[in-house]
Amino acid sequence: MSEAGGFEKLRREVIDTGLCTRCGSCVGVCPPGAIEFREPLGVSLPAIRDSAACEGCPGHCYTGCSGGAVHFPTLAAFTHGRQPANPYLGVFQSLYVGHANDEHVRRAGASGGIISATAIYMLEHDMVDGVVALGANREEPWRFEPRIARSRAEVLECAQSKYSISPANVILRELDKEAPGFRAAFIGIPCQVHAIRKLQADGHPAARKIRYVIGSYCGNILHFDAVRGFLAKHGVADYTAISRLEYRAGEWPGKMRVTLVDGRVLEMPKFYANYLIPFYMMRRCLTCTDLANEFSDISGGDAWAPVYEERGKGFSLIMGRTDRGQRVIEEMIRKGRLTVEPVEEGFTVNMHSHMLDFKKRGAFLRIDAMRARGKAVPSYGFRPVTPAPFGRRAFEVLLRLIYGVCSLRLSQWTVAQLPTGLTGRLFEQARRRWKGVTKSTKRKGFSEIEFTFEPPRQTVYQLPAEELGEQSAALAERAE
Ligand SMILES: Cc1cc2nc3c(=O)[nH]c(=O)nc-3n(C[C@H](O)[C@H](O)[C@H](O)COP(=O)(O)OP(=O)(O)OC[C@H]3O[C@@H](n4cnc5c(N)ncnc54)[C@H](O)[C@@H]3O)c2cc1C
């Protein structure tokens, strides 16, 4: 692909239009390594060092991008060999709530430690040679970077959710250097997984080294300014004073905790720290429509339900999606690595109904509003066809207004001046009241939404039949 068809196209259609998800794929797949993230603690956008490098390049930076076009029907056909019966959750085979049985792993994890436990299990049982996970940079511990973990200790070092922008897919560059037979598991959030699946479907050699995708639920990610704002509350102006940054430290649901080089520890309970979301959320998350990491083999989220929250410790929601993912979960249960209880589909949707409404209805309302204003929008190959009730649309206008006001520098500065406890309490009260007032509006018509799906597109590469289920293998055969 020439310059006009490669990075230049990406820049014009995705980066300059605000559609970049910061997944990091373009950096990871650039053969000469000519793309880099500029201002990683600022806008964090890819830029090219030398555009001459695009000459003759296949242009995977564009074709594997998760920012502009992510065709859900194609990715569902590619990953699962079928389309979802439940468009809120995606294709799945099993639903459980549970936790890792190893107390150390459970405690290290963001919720039940199931993602780390699965990664460790895969390494210990020689199912993979390495696991892509996100850990703190050793010299700059306020910044997270992907690495290939090869031991239990290395996986645990990467445990927990990191809510600041961290372009994990730059790791494709390292995977490319591994021997052709290298078998990797990949842990990532939905936008990162979209790119991995797109690249796999395109036959990209580094992406094809990924045998298992363990996906985390994701509501949104934050700009690094969230950390600066949090520090400002404590009178700390210099982020390089951070020696450790944790978003889910301690007992579930955990605390946002910053440890400083001088030994001071600044912290805030997770639900209080959620105040950062409207102020610092990456705007592209407003038009993302995948909460549950639909194209992973196994996905996991927090089990947000009073029955689990009251029990203390951490509980995760676990979804077995593909045959190979389901096999691993069943083995882990049989071998006493996980304690789980099956949960109903309706219960699972209900558990995250707020975020599912945000992603499966709200995102499309926002996309329509942006399109009407002539702005670039992502395309997903599916959309709801049931019109949203008036109340839901009005609620959306209010929400956009709140996000608009909160993202102003003045608002960010003002909130940074308020004492931590006061901000947290105010936010928590506002959140509870907001939830109560908007609950019926968000629920109205939610479970009856009908979606329309475009037909899946042909992919270059098919996952080997033995990696797909029987049904998927039959579909793959028919497609040939
Ligand atoms: C940005 C973000 C937003 C989330 N939003 C929601 C939500 O709205 N609702 C919900 O139920 N759950 C959400 N989660 C998932 C939740 O926080 C837990 O990760 C999940 O419950 C699994 O917990 P665990 O204990 O099994 O994970 P752990 O055992 O702690 O493993 C987590 C793994 O994810 C990797 N990881 C962490 N952050 C990132 C990142 N930014 N990019 C790539 N890999 C990463 C870590 O390296 C680690 O390997 C979110 C996670 C993230 C990262």
Side-chain angles (χ1 to χ4, degrees):
M1 198 177 267
S2 68
E3 187 196 333
F7 186 81
E8 185 52 28
K9 219 165 163 200
L10 186 76
R11 189 188 58 72
R12 220 179 31 240
E13 294 178 25
V14 178
I15 302 170
D16 290 356
T17 55
L19 295 184
C20 176
T21 61
R22 279 75 163 181
C23 70
S25 311
C26 54
V27 175
V29 299
C30 180
I35 307 175
E36 63 183 2
F37 268 93
R38 298 256 164 93
E39 298 180 62
L41 302 182
V43 292
S44 189
L45 282 171
I48 198 148
R49 268 195 301 268
D50 173 15
S51 56
C54 296
E55 236 15 87
C57 172
H60 283 301
C61 63
Y62 179 75
T63 56
C65 168
S66 66
V70 179
H71 204 261
F72 273 46
T74 305
L75 295 193
F78 175 73
T79 312
H80 306 293
R82 60 191 160 114
Q83 298 302 316
N86 183 327
Y88 300 100
L89 300 177
V91 175
F92 65 88
Q93 300 194 16
S94 61
L95 303 169
Y96 310 95
V97 167
H99 57 81
N101 281 342
D102 182 325
E103 275 303 313
H104 186 62
V105 176
R106 185 180 185 186
R107 210 185 150 78
S111 53
I114 54 111
I115 292 185
S116 297
T118 308
I120 292 168
Y121 184 83
M122 286 177 175
L123 280 171
E124 288 179 350
H125 288 76
D126 194 31
M127 299 163 81
V128 295
D129 303 306
V131 176
V132 174
L134 202 68
N137 177 286
R138 295 199 169 92
E139 280 77 47
E140 300 177 353
W142 51 88
R143 194 164 67 75
F144 299 106
E145 62 187 9
R147 59 179 74 134
I148 302 175
R150 295 167 204 258
S151 67
R152 171 191 161 92
E154 286 174 9
V155 169
L156 286 178
E157 213 183 302
C158 296
Q160 283 214 3
S161 302
K162 286 88 181 181
Y163 294 134
S164 35
I165 293 176
S166 312
N169 290 9
V170 301
I171 200 70
L172 286 160
R173 199 185 285 167
E174 299 309 313
L175 283 177
D176 198 42
K177 292 179 198 153
E178 297 290 346
F182 188 80
R183 303 159 304 158
F186 177 90
I187 300 173
I189 56 177
C191 51
Q192 296 159 1
V193 172
H194 295 168
I196 294 296
R197 291 303 193 201
K198 280 182 79 173
L199 287 162
Q200 286 182 331
D202 215 11
H204 190 276
R208 283 180 56 185
K209 288 177 183 161
I210 296 169
R211 301 292 170 91
Y212 292 92
V213 173
I214 314 172
S216 151
Y217 266 49
C218 181
N220 52 70
I221 49 177
L222 306 174
H223 284 278
F224 186 75
D225 276 353
V227 177
R228 289 194 180 97
F230 179 79
L231 288 178
K233 274 192 174 306
H234 297 85
V236 179
D238 179 10
Y239 64 81
T240 64
I242 295 176
S243 70
R244 189 164 185 199
L245 170 61
E246 298 159 281
Y247 286 96
R248 301 286 296 266
E251 206 63 63
W252 191 54
K255 293 176 176 176
M256 178 169 176
R257 179 185 292 160
V258 175
T259 310
L260 300 176
V261 280
D262 64 9
R264 267 186 298 160
V265 176
L266 318 173
E267 51 182 34
M268 203 177 194
K270 174 176 181 349
F271 290 126
Y272 280 18
N274 280 352
Y275 88 85
L276 294 165
I277 295 173
F279 291 92
Y280 301 103
M281 181 207 286
M282 189 178 76
R283 286 300 175 258
R284 177 62 177 79
C285 300
L286 288 168
T287 50
C288 162
T289 185
D290 186 355
L291 170 73
N293 221 319
E294 298 175 25
F295 308 110
S296 51
D297 294 298
I298 297 171
S299 68
D302 282 280
W304 295 135
V307 56
Y308 301 111
E309 286 163 35
E310 280 157 18
R311 284 196 218 165
K313 295 197 173 174
F315 284 90
S316 300
L317 172 67
I318 309 160
M319 302 176 78
R321 293 187 177 277
T322 58
D323 278 6
R324 56 190 181 282
Q326 182 63 26
R327 269 198 301 272
V328 177
I329 296 178
E330 283 172 11
E331 255 182 60
M332 290 178 70
I333 297 170
R334 227 179 19 251
K335 293 189 176 167
R337 296 295 189 103
L338 298 177
T339 292
V340 297
E341 56 191 47
V343 286
E344 298 288 330
E345 202 171 318
F347 177 79
T348 309
V349 170
N350 234 350
M351 195 186 264
H352 292 99
S353 62
H354 162 75
M355 275 317 287
L356 285 169
D357 171 72
F358 188 86
K359 296 277 181 184
K360 295 292 178 189
R361 186 155 63 173
F364 288 100
L365 291 171
R366 293 186 278 276
I367 286 173
D368 288 346
M370 285 170 69
R371 192 184 283 117
R373 281 183 281 138
K375 296 205 167 183
V377 291
S379 66
Y380 294 117
F382 84 105
R383 56 168 295 117
V385 281
T386 315
F390 173 77
R392 180 63 184 83
R393 281 182 283 129
F395 161 75
E396 198 52 50
V397 173
L398 182 61
L399 198 69
R400 279 208 301 275
L401 190 71
I402 292 173
Y403 281 121
V405 171
C406 287
S407 63
L408 297 174
R409 283 271 167 218
L410 179 63
S411 312
Q412 294 174 348
W413 179 85
T414 308
V415 78
Q417 309 312 307
L418 301 176
T420 316
L422 178 66
T423 318
R425 278 194 302 278
L426 281 178
F427 181 83
E428 187 56 7
Q429 273 174 19
R431 189 184 72 93
R432 280 176 199 273
R433 195 157 293 179
W434 171 262
K435 261 186 131 173
V437 171
T438 59
K439 190 171 177 177
S440 63
T441 311
K442 285 186 291 189
R443 292 273 166 100
K444 196 166 176 201
F446 173 64
S447 50
E448 291 95 50
I449 304 174
E450 285 189 14
F451 293 84
T452 173
F453 292 82
E454 290 170 10
R457 295 174 186 155
Q458 200 66 40
T459 55
V460 170
Y461 171 70
Q462 290 283 336
L463 286 172
E466 69 273 16
E467 289 185 19
L468 292 161
E470 268 172 37
Q471 192 184 4
S472 323
L475 275 174
E477 235 167 68
R478 249 179 282 151
E480 273 168 11

